[in-house]
Amino acid sequence: MAPGEKIKAKIKKNLPVTGPQAPTIKELMRWYCLNTNTHGCRRIVVSRGRLRRLLWILFTLTAVALIFWQCALLVISFYTVSVSIKIHFQKLDFPAVTICNINPYKYSAVRDLLADLEQETRGALKTLYGFSEIKSRKRRDAESWSSVWEGTRPKFLNLVPLLAFKEGEMGKARDFLTGRKRKVSGSIIRKESDVMNVHESKEVVGFQLCSNDTSNCAVYTFSSGVNAIQEWYKLHYMNIMAQVSLEKKINMSYSAEELLVTCFFDGVSCDARNFTLFHHPMYGNCYTFNNRQNETILSTSMGGSEYGLQVILHINEEEYNPFLVSSTGAKVIIHRQDEYPFVEDVGTEIETAMATSIGMHLDGKQRWNLLLPPNGLQTALTSYTESFKLSEPYSQCTEDGSDVPVENIYKAAYSLKICLHSCFQTKMVEKCGCAQYSQPLPPAANYCNYQQHPNWMYCYYQLHQAFVREELGCQSVCREACSFKEWTLTTSLAQWPSEVSEKWLLSVLTWDQGLQIKKKLNKTDLAKLLIFYKDLNQRSIMENPANSIEMLLSNFGGQLGLWMSCSIVCIIEIVEVFFIDSLSIIARQQWQKAKQWWAQRQAPPCPEAPPSPQGQDNPVLDIDDDLPTFTSALHLPPAPGTQVPGTPPPKYNTLRLERAFSNQLTDTQVPAEF
Amino acid sequence: MHEKMLRRDCTLQLGRKRLSENFLKGGATMHVKKYLLKGLHRLQKGPGYTYKELLVWYCDNTNTHGPKRIICEGPKKKAMWFLLTLLFAALVCWQWGIFIRTYLSWEVSVSLSVGFKTMDFPAVTICNASPFQYSKVRHLLKDLDELMDAVLERILAPEPSHANATEALNFTIWNHTPLVLIDEQNPHKPVVLDLFGDNHNSSASSSPAPGRTCDAQGCKVAMRLCSLNGTVCTFRNFTSATQAVMEWYVLQATNIFSQVPRQELVAMSYPGEQLILACLFGAEPCSHRNFTSIFHPDYGNCHIFNWGMTEKALPSSNPGAEFGLKLILDIGQEDYVPFLTSTAGARLLLHEQRSYPFIKEEGIYAMSGTETSIGVLVDRLERKGEPYSRCTKNGSDVPIPNLYSDHNTTYSIQACIHSCFQDHMIRNCSCGHYLYPLPRGEKYCNNQDFPDWAYCYSDLRINVAQRETCINLCKESCNDTQYKMTISMAEWPSEASEDWILHVLSQERDQSTNITLSRKGIVKLNIYFQEFNYRTIEESAANNIVWLLSNLGGQFGFWMGGSVLCLIEFGEIIIDFVWITVIKLVAFSKSLQRRRAQAHYASPPPTVAELVEAHTNFGFQPDVISHSPTTGTYPDEQPVPIPGTPPPNYDSLRLQPLDVVESDNEGDAI
């Protein structure tokens, strides 16, 4: 044996091999506990005495449990948002302002279309409430009341009869048309709430809607005849107007010049050309100011009423439809340029003979999905939000509605309301075969009318009931939009024109209207509207993720470090030792057992064959050979003196390399001591 | 650094020479020098003497988790761990970068609180929509009103029969900025018609019978604004005559009022005792004496309740209308200036104590003949200021002098913007506008002294660039309070109570038994705190230094199990590295010198000892010096290599006695 080999063997003997090449699991565990970077394990092995060891085991386990608990909490709270508020004082974009007259069409223009309906309504009023003459405050051409009533057979009351019910005998009803009592079958649906107890003994008014075969009927009753007749009128009105072409309807309604007497914006005059037409089925011609006509959005750089929009509206009460609308004035909706103005749902109503001043504050809200934090992680975070798209980790909102399975039938940006209306309209077309009049038409559909869809009303009411009770599933499908702009409005009223200025103001305004109106304007025909920013403060509320992924990791790191002084390296270690190494040891043992068993079976005659020592079987042990630590030193020539004769004792500093390892050596010998 | 190295180099050489000298001399100084040298060496001595040693030592002894594993296992694992450690180190650096950047972006987090607490009741400013009582200003406006009547007549009914009435008119006002009709029936060739074209000479082409064929469709009313003695003129167009005549009237009225001293204007406006008929705060009666009056150019006398300038602000500790401010006002609609204001009502603003009321911008109307109830929610925003958000604490860092500081009011952005406008006005038109306060030593604009001012003003007013410069110059203030109002209205007094209420109020005001007030003139106001009266949004720093440190620690701990001490360790190693490099360089230069010196000898090849010497680090011998002082004889001094010396005690060969626990060198090694 060469001297080098000898030394090697010696070292091997002295050096306990307790690396991951350890032959048994127990050895491996011991090695792990001693060499790991975490703090608890080492103390388990090093401690003497059972109690102490037990305590350390307990401590370590507690620490591990705490880590798991805290990390779980961190993960759970990861998808929370924090809100931040940004304030800017800046030039603000002026919102789009849509102004509608409450009355959709000039009554003189639609009279021809609605003549029959008006007669029948009057007739119904007469039979129901017994009065014959309507005293109109303003209408000059009040016709004689019951002129052609006895003429042709009424078609509207036939289709949907108005009925009066006596309380108590619900099955029976009095028909207005014939005056006869008739049996009413079908479910009675009350429009009034069940909680309210209205007039016990009074008659209840309602109307009956039947499906195709008239076997399936529903009766809608109202606590007040006002509601009943208005609802009934509206049904027929929609039916009639659905058959009129859009152009004709626009012509029947008010023109911009008629509606707007004066206009002033940001200190500069404006006129009807600054407004774009928007036809609403129930409100007729509406006019939108600042609707991005030539791709520029007007903005104000000063607060105060002087720098906002000032308009004087002409509201001609004489042309009002007496049954469709019962209030006078105009409706104003302040909205985003790409937003659809829901005239019937939102908006501020303004009164005649008043100056209505609407001060605005802009409250912008943006949710996290849209807005990325301004730090450098944008790209990384974008990819995260996109990958989380399906689960929408932060909130249930949608950016542009493209991920909502409802087709947007409005030509406007997505909003929850648009989604709900589109959903209802789509369902309506599906179920009833035609579209409801007050909402836009989906592609390849027609508005409902009697001629083509005789039973659409029944269908509509049924569907509407289901929609309100959330049975159509629209509410669950539609999600709110991620960002929206909202204007907080402060509305105040003042008398306008004042008594002393009334005279001259009205005459000048009449001159302004010029040819359109031959007579002098009355102050109840006019309304003044001021819309302005109170100040140019914009408060935007933003939702940001409270935690970013690096925060989560650093919190993990903090927890791991606090309880066990552990890091990701420790986790890799654990994986390495507990999974790879221990599995390989187990596999090796099993292999050996199998080999032994095989050998026993193969050679039963010589069972005394000594099993090879385990340590040498370990194939990994061979690696020892090329461990740089010792071999480099060991391969040195055994008799150095002969090679360099007569040299002075040099102090090669380089050769002190092994110092570092002698250090390690002593370290590895520690376990051997106990 | 370099210098330092050099200096050390010198001391090394010096030390060596001196040492040799000392040897010759001997004595006590030698011990001191020796001690110094030892100290020097100890300083130099790192954990190893080569780069590799150093690295290995570092990896083995560092507290970070990764490096330890690099050196203790086989080559494959070694490579893996090496890569892993590098990866983790890179990750740590990256994440640290993110955290530091986040910290330096000065983000804020907000906390929001809503509830009810006893708060100072807001200051309430009340003005009449009309600035003056017509009965008192009639003499000033007489000429203008007559002119206005004539203008209206001309526009509405352009009959020549009225021409004789115009004789008495004062045309000096008119000639300065006349209203004209622009006939646009031929859109390519608009004709400008002067309203009184036939009565006097005018520069514009005038037709004999202006407006005869004109109506609103064909003609537009415009205002002619001239400067430089009427040589440069522009027309300010209006789409409606109503606006044109109102703008014109306001411009002329401004001109008139700006020449009247402030005291007279105050006297012509509505005094507090006339405007405020009844006042009740909580259960306490109050009167017009509790109001502070200031003069607002647009609305005349404004009266501020609870301004907090002289006495302490009044608190309100209960929600509901019963505990708020109740006012009955008399706006006297019949005495309004007819052409100046067309809207009738009271103007009202809630604002913070000690702040100037910008009632034109932020105020609301209260209608006559109604009771207006206003529920108040105080929406307060407190911000941190620089560097977190761009705002100013008291306006001292805004480059525009605050013109509203006369009243001792606090800074607000409105004040800044108005001051900025006035500043521009004075710079461009050399006079101040009547609506804004005057800086010292300036004058208000009027037609006599500044004939070009109307032209200049209307130019400036629609100048967007001017407004934007003002907005950019002004900063918003850090503490911002808004009063969110819930307004509701009801008719008041009711039909049944109208009679007695008007009787009582008339009796109180005029001591008359007849009704001198009308429901067109009285306004009732209730201002009170809502159930929740405050909403405070407070900013706090989202990321402070503690946050930064804990996150840096978290990241370092998570990936590598390290701490600040590890960084120090690392720094130490770097120093060692540098040191080794220095030593090596010194040795290298030494050997170069030597070689050059030896080249002269040329003949005998360098002996082994010389070679050895060349590789020996001279800085390090004293390791053994303590054991054997004789080795103090330096290689330099060694005369000739002695052949046949005993085998050298190479340090490396000390491996052999490994089985005995070696400890003698331990102390030196570390």
Side-chain angles (χ1 to χ4, degrees):
Chain A
M1 212 187 235
E5 290 290 299
K6 223 177 194 171
I7 295 162
K8 196 173 157 186
K10 208 172 172 184
I11 287 169
K12 266 190 184 169
K13 213 178 84 196
N14 281 326
L15 202 74
V17 182
T18 48
Q21 302 92 345
T24 62
I25 298 260
K26 201 183 163 198
E27 286 281 289
L28 185 76
M29 289 301 117
R30 194 182 170 77
W31 179 88
Y32 169 75
C33 285
L34 281 173
N35 286 4
T36 181
N37 284 316
T38 51
H39 285 178
C41 290
R42 192 182 165 87
R43 302 246 43 107
I44 297 175
V45 186
V46 175
S47 308
R48 287 149 202 249
R50 253 183 222 166
L51 183 67
R52 215 174 261 211
R53 192 167 288 195
L54 193 74
L55 272 178
W56 273 110
I57 288 174
L58 272 181
F59 284 146
T60 314
L61 286 182
T62 320
V64 170
L66 278 171
I67 286 173
F68 273 105
W69 178 46
Q70 298 284 325
C71 288
L73 287 184
L74 284 177
V75 169
I76 288 167
S77 68
F78 181 62
Y79 292 129
T80 53
V81 288
S82 70
V83 171
S84 70
I85 294 184
K86 290 242 160 70
I87 303 232
H88 320 278
F89 194 89
Q90 60 184 29
K91 214 172 132 176
L92 288 182
D93 283 346
F94 203 75
V97 178
T98 299
I99 301 168
C100 309
N101 199 332
I102 288 184
N103 184 45
Y105 304 107
K106 283 183 262 183
Y107 202 52
S108 54
V110 287
R111 195 113 201 219
D112 302 339
L113 291 166
L114 299 176
D116 290 349
L117 183 60
E118 188 191 334
Q119 264 175 24
E120 278 181 44
T121 317
R122 287 180 174 181
L125 281 172
K126 192 180 172 191
T127 29
L128 182 54
Y129 297 103
F131 60 88
S132 55
E133 202 73 32
I134 292 182
K135 294 243 175 13
S136 169
R137 256 192 303 165
K138 304 221 38 181
R139 195 172 307 282
R140 290 149 181 189
D141 50 348
E143 289 179 7
S144 66
W145 196 209
S146 51
S147 52
V148 239
W149 177 238
E150 279 81 27
T152 51
R153 209 177 146 66
K155 58 179 179 184
F156 298 110
L157 282 172
N158 240 5
L159 265 169
V160 183
L162 269 172
L163 305 166
F165 300 90
K166 275 271 190 298
E167 198 72 36
E169 37 175 328
M170 266 320 196
K172 290 211 177 100
R174 188 161 59 85
D175 197 326
F176 289 137
L177 179 61
T178 53
R180 274 180 296 133
K181 295 233 166 153
R182 61 188 256 179
K183 263 233 166 2
V184 177
S185 60
S187 55
I188 289 176
I189 297 154
R190 287 170 181 239
K191 277 278 179 176
E192 74 199 65
S193 83
D194 295 335
V195 193
M196 305 284 224
N197 225 348
V198 259
H199 310 294
E200 300 244 324
S201 62
K202 219 185 127 190
E203 269 189 340
V204 181
V205 189
F207 51 83
Q208 191 183 25
L209 295 172
C210 291
S211 72
N212 251 349
D213 45 359
T214 57
S215 64
N216 215 351
C217 283
V219 177
Y220 292 86
T221 62
F222 299 86
S223 59
S224 157
V226 174
N227 292 338
I229 285 167
Q230 268 196 338
E231 258 327 272
W232 181 85
Y233 185 88
K234 212 165 145 185
L235 271 182
H236 292 294
Y237 171 81
M238 290 199 298
N239 184 48
I240 292 165
M241 295 313 285
Q243 300 168 48
V244 181
S245 73
L246 183 64
E247 277 167 67
K248 203 177 166 196
K249 279 193 285 192
I250 288 174
N251 285 334
M252 287 191 301
S253 190
Y254 302 90
S255 70
E257 285 83 9
E258 280 173 306
L259 185 67
L260 304 155
V261 185
T262 71
C263 169
F264 211 60
F265 178 74
D266 205 8
V268 181
S269 264
C270 51
D271 61 8
R273 282 167 296 178
N274 297 70
F275 289 79
T276 43
L277 173 74
F278 154 74
H279 189 85
H280 189 273
M282 299 308 287
Y283 281 86
N285 284 356
C286 294
Y287 293 93
T288 308
F289 177 74
N290 190 22
N291 195 17
R292 207 188 287 173
Q293 293 148 312
N294 32 13
E295 293 304 313
T296 49
I297 297 174
L298 297 170
S299 56
T300 42
S301 45
M302 279 286 254
S305 57
E306 225 180 314
Y307 295 94
L309 177 71
Q310 296 183 30
V311 286
I312 295 175
L313 304 174
H314 178 225
I315 288 149
N316 196 353
E317 216 186 329
E318 282 169 29
E319 297 279 7
Y320 267 49
N321 185 332
F323 303 109
L324 191 66
V325 284
S326 46
S327 51
T328 318
K331 207 155 187 190
V332 178
I333 298 103
I334 291 164
H335 58 100
R336 229 167 47 194
Q337 270 76 13
D338 56 352
E339 209 176 10
Y340 183 85
F342 282 96
V343 187
E344 68 270 47
D345 295 342
V346 288
T348 314
E349 281 174 356
I350 62 173
E351 214 177 321
T352 53
M354 294 280 172
T356 309
S357 81
I358 301 178
M360 298 186 291
H361 265 297
L362 181 61
D363 280 340
K365 279 186 192 152
Q366 277 175 317
R367 275 168 199 281
W368 149 239
N369 276 28
L370 198 76
L371 199 97
L372 299 168
N375 61 35
L377 242 197
Q378 286 204 351
T379 48
L381 285 170
T382 320
S383 65
Y384 267 113
T385 39
E386 275 170 9
S387 63
F388 285 144
K389 203 82 186 181
L390 286 174
S391 55
E392 293 281 3
Y394 292 104
S395 62
Q396 289 281 318
C397 71
T398 172
E399 264 175 55
D400 54 356
S402 54
D403 49 343
V404 172
V406 174
E407 198 197 342
N408 185 351
I409 57 171
Y410 292 83
K411 286 173 194 67
Y414 178 88
S415 73
L416 179 65
K417 214 178 280 168
I418 279 184
C419 176
L420 288 174
H421 281 278
S422 302
C423 176
F424 179 79
Q425 186 74 304
T426 320
K427 287 271 172 3
M428 177 95 185
V429 173
E430 240 170 65
K431 295 255 165 67
C432 311
C434 60
Q436 208 252 331
Y437 176 66
S438 62
Q439 286 151 21
L441 271 182
N446 292 319
Y447 281 129
C448 294
N449 61 58
Y450 295 139
Q451 273 70 41
Q452 281 147 28
H453 316 276
N455 63 326
W456 74 270
M457 282 189 197
Y458 176 74
C459 179
Y460 167 71
Y461 267 85
Q462 290 292 326
L463 206 64
H464 195 258
Q465 292 276 333
F467 177 76
V468 170
R469 285 197 224 109
E470 301 189 14
E471 282 165 10
L472 290 184
C474 288
Q475 282 84 349
S476 59
V477 163
C478 287
R479 280 178 283 156
E480 58 187 316
C482 284
S483 82
F484 57 95
K485 253 185 182 176
E486 201 180 40
W487 284 270
T488 321
L489 308 179
T490 313
T491 310
S492 62
L493 293 178
Q495 195 191 333
W496 178 88
S498 66
E499 281 191 336
V500 285
S501 64
E502 189 180 324
K503 209 177 121 251
W504 74 267
L505 204 59
L506 288 177
S507 52
V508 180
L509 285 170
T510 313
W511 186 83
D512 271 336
Q513 284 295 75
L515 290 179
Q516 291 153 22
I517 295 156
K518 295 288 185 295
K519 58 172 186 59
K520 198 169 181 251
L521 285 173
N522 199 328
K523 77 170 176 183
T524 51
D525 288 334
L526 295 166
K528 188 178 181 184
L529 172 68
L530 300 123
I531 299 173
F532 54 90
Y533 277 115
K534 285 182 104 172
D535 55 32
L536 298 177
N537 264 339
Q538 178 187 6
R539 290 186 178 192
S540 42
I541 300 167
M542 281 183 252
E543 281 184 356
N544 298 317
N547 301 299
S548 55
I549 195 81
E550 60 261 36
M551 284 276 284
L552 183 73
L553 291 184
S554 90
N555 285 336
F556 275 173
Q559 290 295 335
L560 288 173
L562 178 66
W563 299 112
M564 290 191 85
S565 166
C566 185
S567 69
I568 197 78
V569 175
C570 308
I571 293 167
I572 296 177
E573 257 177 22
I574 289 169
V575 171
E576 187 192 3
V577 168
F578 284 84
F579 293 90
I580 301 171
D581 282 345
S582 50
L583 282 182
S584 76
I585 287 170
I586 289 168
R588 203 160 61 216
Q589 280 173 350
Q590 293 303 320
W591 171 247
Q592 229 138 68
K593 267 187 196 161
K595 231 162 94 177
Q596 231 170 19
W597 175 78
W598 184 250
Q600 272 176 0
R601 252 186 76 171
Q602 288 301 85
C606 46
E608 64 272 16
S612 52
Q614 272 187 341
Q616 279 163 23
D617 270 355
N618 190 347
V620 197
L621 265 181
D622 296 340
I623 294 169
D624 245 5
D625 276 336
D626 44 44
L627 270 176
T629 21
F630 308 105
T631 39
S632 54
L634 292 171
H635 284 312
L636 279 171
T642 51
Q643 282 188 341
V644 194
T647 38
K651 298 163 182 67
Y652 287 162
N653 282 305
T654 43
L655 289 182
R656 290 228 299 255
L657 226 189
E658 37 80 48
R659 281 248 170 105
F661 302 101
S662 69
N663 206 7
Q664 191 203 8
L665 266 175
T666 51
D667 197 42
T668 40
Q669 275 169 352
V670 171
E673 286 173 5
F674 44 80
Chain B
M1 184 68 187
H2 199 71
E3 221 180 342
K4 214 174 177 181
M5 270 158 58
L6 274 174
R7 208 178 303 142
R8 271 196 194 172
D9 202 28
C10 290
T11 41
L12 252 180
Q13 287 183 358
L14 246 166
R16 210 180 302 138
K17 270 187 192 150
R18 277 195 198 143
L19 210 71
S20 51
E21 282 163 14
N22 286 345
F23 248 79
L24 300 175
K25 287 178 193 170
T29 46
M30 191 191 81
H31 286 288
V32 179
K33 297 254 162 99
K34 218 163 116 184
Y35 179 78
L36 278 175
L37 199 70
K38 245 175 152 179
L40 191 69
H41 287 157
R42 203 159 286 154
L43 243 176
Q44 297 162 3
K45 203 164 33 167
Y49 299 92
T50 63
Y51 295 128
K52 197 177 171 189
E53 267 179 354
L54 191 70
L55 264 182
V56 169
W57 180 86
Y58 171 71
C59 288
D60 197 36
N61 289 305
T62 181
N63 281 316
T64 41
H65 290 179
K68 212 176 234 176
R69 314 238 24 155
I70 296 180
I71 52 151
C72 67
E73 277 161 86
K76 267 176 265 162
K77 282 203 171 170
K78 211 180 242 182
M80 185 191 88
W81 276 108
F82 181 66
L83 285 179
L84 270 181
T85 311
L86 273 190
L87 175 74
F88 288 157
L91 275 173
V92 168
C93 289
W94 176 46
Q95 304 271 315
W96 277 15
I98 288 170
F99 275 119
I100 290 167
R101 194 132 46 119
T102 315
Y103 176 70
L104 290 181
S105 67
W106 307 110
E107 278 175 40
V108 289
S109 63
V110 287
S111 61
L112 186 127
S113 49
V114 180
F116 186 90
K117 64 181 178 194
T118 302
M119 286 180 88
D120 284 346
F121 200 75
V124 180
T125 302
I126 291 151
C127 315
N128 202 335
S130 171
F132 303 108
Q133 303 179 54
Y134 193 49
S135 50
K136 291 186 179 169
V137 290
R138 197 180 292 232
H139 63 282
L140 288 172
L141 297 174
K142 187 171 159 281
D143 285 351
L144 185 60
D145 284 351
E146 279 170 7
L147 197 58
M148 182 75 165
D149 280 329
V151 165
L152 290 179
E153 232 165 67
R154 279 288 166 137
I155 292 173
L156 299 177
E159 294 301 318
S161 60
H162 294 281
N164 55 351
T166 61
E167 302 298 336
L169 293 178
N170 179 358
F171 276 107
T172 50
I173 312 171
W174 175 258
N175 282 339
H176 192 261
T177 37
L179 281 171
V180 292
L181 278 171
I182 297 178
D183 191 345
E184 282 177 334
Q185 276 158 339
N186 182 359
H188 301 293
K189 194 171 158 284
V191 184
V192 180
L193 310 166
D194 201 310
L195 278 178
F196 298 107
D198 44 338
N199 284 53
H200 59 282
N201 53 342
S202 78
S203 56
S205 64
S206 54
S207 68
R212 172 75 51 83
T213 53
C214 247
D215 51 47
Q217 253 50 44
C219 286
K220 295 282 171 252
V221 181
M223 203 194 302
R224 190 170 64 210
L225 299 161
C226 291
S227 75
L228 304 171
N229 287 331
T231 48
V232 183
C233 285
T234 52
F235 292 100
R236 191 161 169 227
N237 290 325
F238 293 91
T239 51
S240 83
T242 322
Q243 280 162 3
V245 292
M246 279 185 87
E247 286 280 317
W248 179 80
Y249 189 89
V250 168
L251 200 69
Q252 299 296 354
T254 307
N255 173 41
I256 291 169
F257 289 128
S258 62
Q259 297 170 52
V260 179
R262 183 54 61 91
Q263 292 88 336
E264 280 181 42
L265 290 177
V266 171
M268 287 188 293
S269 184
Y270 292 82
E273 56 266 34
Q274 193 183 337
L275 184 70
I276 298 153
L277 292 181
C279 171
L280 198 66
F281 180 70
E284 305 269 325
C286 47
S287 73
H288 62 90
R289 275 180 289 277
N290 298 75
F291 288 76
T292 319
S293 284
I294 59 165
F295 184 79
H296 190 282
D298 258 328
Y299 294 106
N301 284 345
C302 289
H303 308 280
I304 309 175
F305 177 75
N306 195 23
W307 204 11
M309 279 295 183
T310 47
E311 62 259 26
K312 263 191 81 191
L314 298 167
S316 176
S317 51
N318 286 299
E322 283 308 303
F323 302 95
L325 180 69
K326 290 178 176 178
L327 287 172
I328 297 173
L329 308 175
D330 170 32
I331 58 167
Q333 219 191 113
E334 57 282 347
D335 209 11
Y336 269 35
V337 183
F339 298 112
L340 207 54
T341 38
S342 59
T343 312
R347 201 91 167 119
L348 163 86
L349 175 67
L350 308 184
H351 56 106
E352 227 179 330
Q353 267 80 31
R354 311 178 68 82
S355 72
Y356 188 84
F358 289 94
I359 196 145
K360 197 176 185 188
E361 285 75 24
E362 294 166 8
I364 58 163
Y365 280 111
M367 202 165 68
S368 54
T370 55
E371 172 172 358
T372 306
S373 296
I374 300 170
V376 180
L377 169 84
V378 184
D379 193 3
R380 190 167 171 74
L381 182 90
E382 285 165 15
R383 286 194 287 169
K384 288 221 35 129
E386 306 282 356
Y388 294 97
S389 34
R390 187 180 176 265
C391 64
T392 173
K393 291 270 185 218
N394 53 12
S396 55
D397 50 342
V398 173
I400 293 158
N402 187 0
L403 298 179
Y404 289 87
S405 51
D406 287 355
H407 298 283
N408 229 352
T409 50
T410 51
Y411 172 87
S412 72
I413 187 148
Q414 293 283 0
C416 177
I417 282 181
H418 287 189
S419 305
C420 179
F421 182 85
Q422 187 73 309
D423 196 42
H424 283 241
M425 183 85 191
I426 284 167
R427 225 178 296 158
N428 292 357
C429 316
S430 63
C431 60
H433 192 267
Y434 167 69
L435 286 183
Y436 309 109
L438 266 187
R440 196 156 295 140
E442 300 293 338
K443 280 177 82 178
Y444 278 130
C445 296
N446 61 62
N447 287 350
Q448 273 77 47
D449 303 340
F450 309 96
D452 294 348
W453 82 272
Y455 175 80
C456 174
Y457 166 67
S458 66
D459 217 34
L460 194 66
R461 202 187 132 178
I462 51 171
N463 187 353
V464 177
Q466 179 269 326
R467 288 188 224 161
E468 269 172 34
T469 37
C470 283
I471 284 178
N472 291 334
L473 280 176
C474 291
K475 288 181 190 170
E476 57 240 84
S477 69
C478 288
N479 291 342
D480 175 40
T481 306
Q482 286 177 2
Y483 293 92
K484 303 246 158 169
M485 295 176 280
T486 313
I487 303 170
S488 59
M489 285 188 288
E491 199 173 306
W492 181 86
S494 67
E495 300 226 334
S497 64
E498 187 176 338
D499 191 54
W500 74 263
I501 285 178
L502 291 180
H503 259 293
V504 171
L505 289 175
S506 305
Q507 166 71 34
E508 274 175 3
R509 196 183 66 163
D510 304 328
Q511 282 81 41
S512 77
T513 45
N514 296 330
I515 292 177
T516 54
L517 294 161
S518 79
R519 64 178 295 126
K520 290 257 172 77
I522 51 173
V523 177
K524 191 168 195 280
L525 281 174
N526 294 326
I527 302 164
Y528 53 88
F529 278 142
Q530 285 174 6
E531 196 68 30
F532 289 111
N533 72 341
Y534 73 92
R535 191 181 82 166
T536 306
I537 298 167
E538 208 171 341
E539 274 188 352
S540 54
N543 311 322
N544 51 17
I545 195 77
V546 178
W547 172 92
L548 181 70
L549 286 181
S550 89
N551 275 314
L552 294 184
Q555 284 292 342
F556 200 16
F558 182 68
W559 296 110
M560 301 186 75
S563 66
V564 173
L565 291 178
C566 300
L567 288 183
I568 296 173
E569 269 176 12
F570 193 71
E572 196 192 346
I573 285 300
I574 299 277
I575 292 171
D576 284 341
F577 233 93
V578 171
W579 196 233
I580 289 174
T581 317
V582 169
I583 289 166
K584 288 214 162 168
L585 278 176
V586 168
F588 181 68
S589 64
K590 205 80 216 177
S591 75
L592 267 185
Q593 266 181 14
R594 195 162 297 276
R595 210 170 286 165
R596 226 174 277 152
Q598 279 177 353
H600 295 296
Y601 300 128
S603 46
T607 53
V608 179
E610 276 166 350
L611 287 177
V612 166
E613 188 191 342
H615 285 101
T616 309
N617 186 343
F618 299 121
F620 281 100
Q621 324 82 344
D623 254 356
V624 225
I625 263 177
S626 49
H627 299 299
S628 49
T630 42
T631 40
T633 49
Y634 265 75
D636 285 332
E637 253 70 48
Q638 241 167 13
V640 228
I642 305 149
T645 38
N649 49 345
Y650 286 156
D651 273 359
S652 55
L653 293 182
R654 290 222 298 256
L655 242 186
Q656 271 131 332
L658 259 181
D659 28 0
V660 199
V661 179
E662 195 175 292
S663 57
D664 53 347
N665 278 1
E666 209 74 335
D668 302 338
I670 296 163

